[in-house]
Amino acid sequence: MSTHASTSRGPDAAPRPTVFARARIVDPARGLDAVGSVIVAEGRILAAGPEVLNQGSPEGWEVVDATDKVIVPGLVDMRVFLGEPGHEHRETFASASRAAAAGGVTTIVTMPDTDPVIDDPALVDFVLRRAREEAAVRVHPMAALTKGQKGAETSEFGLLSEAGAVAFTDARRSVAASLVMRRALTYARDFGALIVHHVEDPSLAGAGVATEGEFATRMGLPGIPREAETIMLERDMRLVALTGGRYHASQLSTAESVEILRAAKARGLDVTASVSINHLSLNELDIGTYRSFLKFSPPLRHEDDRQAMIEAVADGIVDVIVSGHDPQDVEMKRHPFAEAADGAVGLETSLAAALRLVHDGRLSWSRLVEAMALRPAERLGLDAGRLTPGAPADLAVIDPGMPWLLDRAKLLSRSKNTPFEDARFVGRVVRTLVGGRTVHALDA
Amino acid sequence: MTSSSMTNAPSTPAPAFPHRHLLGIEGLTPLQILHLLDKAEEEVHVSRQVEKKKNVLRGRTQINLFFEASTRTQSSFEIAGKRLGADVMNMSVASSSVKKGETLIDTAATLNAMRPDILVVRHHAAGAVHLLARKVSCSVINAGDGAHEHPTQALLDALTIRRHKGRIEGLTVAICGDIVHSRVARSNILLLNALGARVKLVGPSTLLPSGAARLGVETFTDMKKGLDGADIVMMLRLQRERMNGSFVPSVREYFHYWGLDQEKLAFAAPDALVMHPGPMNRGVEIDPEVADGPQSLIAEQVEMGVAVRMAVLETLAEHLPTV
């Protein structure tokens, strides 16, 4: 897997070794958060830590003064939608990877609900080949959990895994039939495959587009009760207990969901979960007068739920933060709220938005890096998310105090459907390396 | 919600109605509501004359853009516009043709290029009229958006009530039936609350909205308690697709418990008046005897509808550019 980036680098010679001196290094894999230096050579981390300071460097090495910068492992984003294949006008591997690099994301895990759906080993091959040719960051596909994402027959977990699929999901869809989910969890066990599930009971959600309650009522929008999420999550926890499967909830969003997950973990079930940066940053009131860029599935929730999700990330109950990067063109978004597509782009903004939680004292740097790099890498079995000597040199150099304003028109993604239009952020990625190569450098 | 025009020079006195659009009752102050009602009183006189024509909208183009069929609202706006001298064009856009690919915004851009002065819009999705209003340069009137708002209906209801009761403040108004899907109910709740009425919602729990208590209303599932002391009983239409098991089990059960007949009307104040935004389902939410009885204001509501829409059109026209 780790060879993809190296083959996508183009024909130029390997970069010379680089020393990032006097940076704050955050590497939760080793419990490290200290000022030191990072040495990158031959695509790998040669050394990283306080002990590397002031050792000098051989002639010809690039030395970067990284004083007041923070160096973290490149982020691993495990929920990214692309338009390729099928909807290249929304996003391609090339455009998504530029956006990712600008956001400090060095590994993207793609969703299989493209056209065609990625439910065949040959299609996994196709994704990996296109990524090798086009992408500056590492790309790992998830494959469909059920054939055609129809929720009826499980896909070929074994062959798809061998082809390179890192997990199985029906992306935006929930598998409503409990029997299908039970068999998927059971069969996946034989291959150690991870099932990633969108938890929303479709029959209870109905035609809803906003969280049921005062806001939806005032706006005249059909509501979805939070129970659509908790019922499905509760069901899944029972099925994981029954089958012993490996399970990851792709996006949790309610306070009650956190309690269900906490109880399941306490029972020793092999379960983890993500939350999207949108649900950590925004609540339903941000929808304002029907801003369709803030339409998501699950819908934005009450502020109490957002606070509970932040707590859950801080204490590690919710393992992973995803961007949920979901490029949609104007044709899909410029509709009345209920008729607009779900989703927002996020690769370029997820770190900056998460840094707000760090600046507010809600998350530590270590926990942030765990949730956005280390844990997703561990859960998916990827060699990423750490700055340990010998690890691939995938890293982001962040200026934590740099203020910037999000200009939607300047987004690198082909689609500009961001919920953070004109947002003020503090903290920006100034340089991103994948396999030792600089894939993004902010203009000074 | 209603965007105000910010173009007035600081020296001019604040206009009685400072908004460019009428997108909802939300955002209107009680004084602005009363301004529209007073204006509508004048329009009632105009409409009752032999010569019903004014010329305040002469040379103006009004487009009635209806994405959802509505004979009565559309014709009411059409008559209102014509009585004020506007050139009125009706455009009925079947939702299917919109689904062929043209977004609402494309439609808005196309219409905007025809340089209308006023757009009257009805759409099946909440927020659609707001979206459109952001993309055009003329005044926009919401003629109903999904389950969100229908401001001219609430204004005509208020006008009808005020003409009979002399006031809104202090009255008890029971709004009955399918509240959850009703834009009429939402706009009425906002308007009646703003003018100081007590609002009670009555219906089966499946048709009462979540979070209703936060809207400043009381909810009842029993007509006897809900209608107790009501000065006004406002019935809402129950859509056919909601009658058979999805929200209520059957028409006969619905009528039995929530249909307004003489017996249930007797729970309300002795001089209570009955209203319905139409079109009625006689025998579903209302007994024909009540609908056509002496306490019914239903026919008068239609007349007030034209007057209120004239008042809204004329008021918004005052802010239209004159050069």
Side-chain angles (χ1 to χ4, degrees), chain B residues 73-126:
Chain B
T73 306
Q74 183 166 322
S75 50
S76 183
F77 270 109
E78 182 175 357
I79 290 173
K82 284 181 170 163
R83 285 192 182 158
L84 296 173
D87 295 316
V88 185
M89 190 196 114
N90 290 316
M91 256 188 87
S92 296
V93 190
S95 52
S96 58
S97 72
V98 174
K99 291 213 169 82
K100 276 178 195 160
E102 189 173 69
T103 67
L104 183 63
I105 307 244
D106 293 333
T107 309
T110 306
L111 283 176
N112 200 43
M114 299 179 193
R115 307 188 65 86
D117 299 286
I118 297 175
L119 267 182
V120 178
V121 186
R122 156 78 54 103
H123 198 280
H124 49 84

Side-chain angles (χ1 to χ4, degrees), chain A residues 40 226 228 326 403 427:
Chain A
V40 171
R226 290 173 180 76
D326 192 354

Side-chain angles (χ1 to χ4, degrees), chain A residues 122-428:
Chain A
L123 292 165
V124 174
D125 265 354
F126 170 83
V127 170
L128 291 172
R129 180 172 62 74
R130 288 291 296 157
R132 271 196 304 276
E133 289 166 358
E134 300 288 334
V137 301
R138 300 177 201 275
V139 176
H140 297 283
M142 286 194 198
L145 175 56
T146 62
K147 285 175 191 153
Q149 297 197 125
K150 293 187 193 315
E153 302 161 33
T154 49
S155 55
E156 298 164 316
F157 295 161
L159 295 173
L160 288 162
S161 296
E162 281 195 41
V166 293
F168 298 88
T169 185
D170 278 357
R172 315 165 195 270
R173 294 193 200 165
S174 288
V175 176
S178 302
L179 181 61
V180 173
M181 192 51 148
R182 182 202 175 167
R183 286 188 181 142
L185 281 162
T186 306
Y187 185 69
R189 215 176 46 190
D190 298 348
F191 299 95
L194 179 70
I195 303 294
V196 178
H197 196 216
H198 179 67
V199 281
E200 184 175 78
D201 180 338
S203 64
L204 188 53
V209 296
T211 300
E212 190 171 288
E214 185 192 353
F215 176 76
T217 293
R218 280 187 187 277
M219 302 306 281
L221 294 171
I224 303 177
R226 290 173 180 76
E227 284 70 13
E229 177 169 310
T230 53
I231 286 172
M232 187 57 88
L233 182 64
E234 191 72 78
R235 180 203 76 171
D236 286 355
M237 296 303 98
R238 305 274 163 182
L239 291 176
V240 171
L242 176 66
T243 59
R246 294 181 69 218
Y247 177 94
H248 182 87
S250 61
Q251 289 184 99
L252 296 188
S253 61
T254 81
E256 286 280 321
S257 304
V258 173
E259 295 318 309
I260 294 168
L261 183 66
R262 193 192 306 275
K265 286 185 168 184
R267 288 176 69 188
L269 303 183
D270 189 1
V271 293
T272 48
S274 308
V275 58
S276 89
I277 190 64
N278 303 311
H279 291 87
L280 288 176
S281 306
L282 306 162
N283 69 34
E284 58 184 356
L285 299 180
D286 290 306
I287 293 168
T289 16
Y290 305 102
R291 293 170 63 202
S292 65
F293 285 4
L294 281 81
K295 181 169 185 252
F296 299 105
S297 174
L300 290 176
R301 303 295 190 185
H302 194 272
E303 177 64 9
D304 292 347
D305 291 307
R306 185 180 81 94
Q307 292 298 331
M309 295 314 298
I310 295 171
E311 288 297 312
V313 171
D315 67 19
I317 290 297
V318 167
D319 307 77
V320 173
I321 299 172
V322 295
S323 73
H325 182 82
D326 192 354
Q328 298 287 346
D329 59 87
V330 289
E331 288 287 311
M332 305 300 288
K333 276 292 187 185
R334 281 178 146 192
H335 290 286
F337 192 82
E339 294 168 4
D342 296 319
V345 292
L347 282 168
E348 283 165 83
T349 47
S350 60
L351 177 66
L355 281 175
R356 287 175 166 175
L357 301 174
V358 173
H359 297 315
D360 289 348
R362 305 295 301 274
L363 282 188
S364 67
W365 272 96
S366 291
R367 185 55 207 131
L368 173 107
V369 173
E370 244 175 47
M372 299 186 83
L374 180 61
R375 286 295 287 144
E378 286 176 343
R379 194 61 175 151
L380 296 167
L382 305 177
D383 186 12
R386 53 186 79 219
L387 296 174
T388 319
D394 299 356
L395 59 83
V397 184
I398 302 164
D399 182 340
M402 182 188 285
W404 60 291
L405 187 74
L406 183 83
D407 179 353
R408 192 173 143 236
K410 289 187 182 160
L411 286 172
L412 297 169
S413 178
R414 279 208 173 179
S415 298
K416 315 292 183 194
N417 53 313
T418 174
F420 294 108
E421 186 171 1
D422 297 331
R424 287 169 171 78
F425 291 120
V426 176
R428 191 164 195 183

Side-chain angles (χ1 to χ4, degrees), chain B residues 3-133:
Chain B
S3 55
S4 49
S5 108
M6 304 295 287
T7 52
N8 295 298
S11 58
T12 55
F17 192 89
H19 308 289
R20 181 156 78 103
H21 308 301
L22 179 68
L23 301 182
I25 297 298
E26 186 169 1
L28 299 187
T29 65
L31 279 177
Q32 290 162 4
I33 293 168
L34 291 171
H35 174 79
L36 291 174
L37 295 182
D38 294 345
K39 188 96 187 160
E41 290 284 359
E42 295 168 23
E43 312 289 12
V44 174
H45 291 298
V46 173
S47 292
R48 286 182 178 178
Q49 293 166 7
V50 176
E51 168 63 56
K52 299 179 175 63
K53 200 99 169 169
K54 293 172 86 172
N55 61 7
V56 292
L57 289 188
R58 194 171 61 194
R60 302 292 191 186
T61 302
Q62 171 189 338
I63 299 181
N64 296 336
L65 178 61
F66 277 59
F67 292 89
E68 192 181 70
S70 163
T71 315
R72 73 173 57 206
T73 306
Q74 183 166 322
S75 50
S76 183
F77 270 109
E78 182 175 357
I79 290 173
K82 284 181 170 163
R83 285 192 182 158
L84 296 173
D87 295 316
V88 185
M89 190 196 114
N90 290 316
M91 256 188 87
S92 296
V93 190
S95 52
S96 58
S97 72
V98 174
K99 291 213 169 82
K100 276 178 195 160
E102 189 173 69
T103 67
L104 183 63
I105 307 244
D106 293 333
T107 309
T110 306
L111 283 176
N112 200 43
M114 299 179 193
R115 307 188 65 86
D117 299 286
I118 297 175
L119 267 182
V120 178
V121 186
R122 156 78 54 103
H123 198 280
H124 49 84
V129 184
H130 291 72
L131 179 62
L132 211 132

Side-chain angles (χ1 to χ4, degrees), chain B residues 40 94 116 137 143 149 176 181 204 240 259-260 268 278 293 300:
Chain B
S137 46
E149 282 229 48
C176 312
H181 300 104
R240 199 156 290 277
L260 186 68
E300 192 177 328

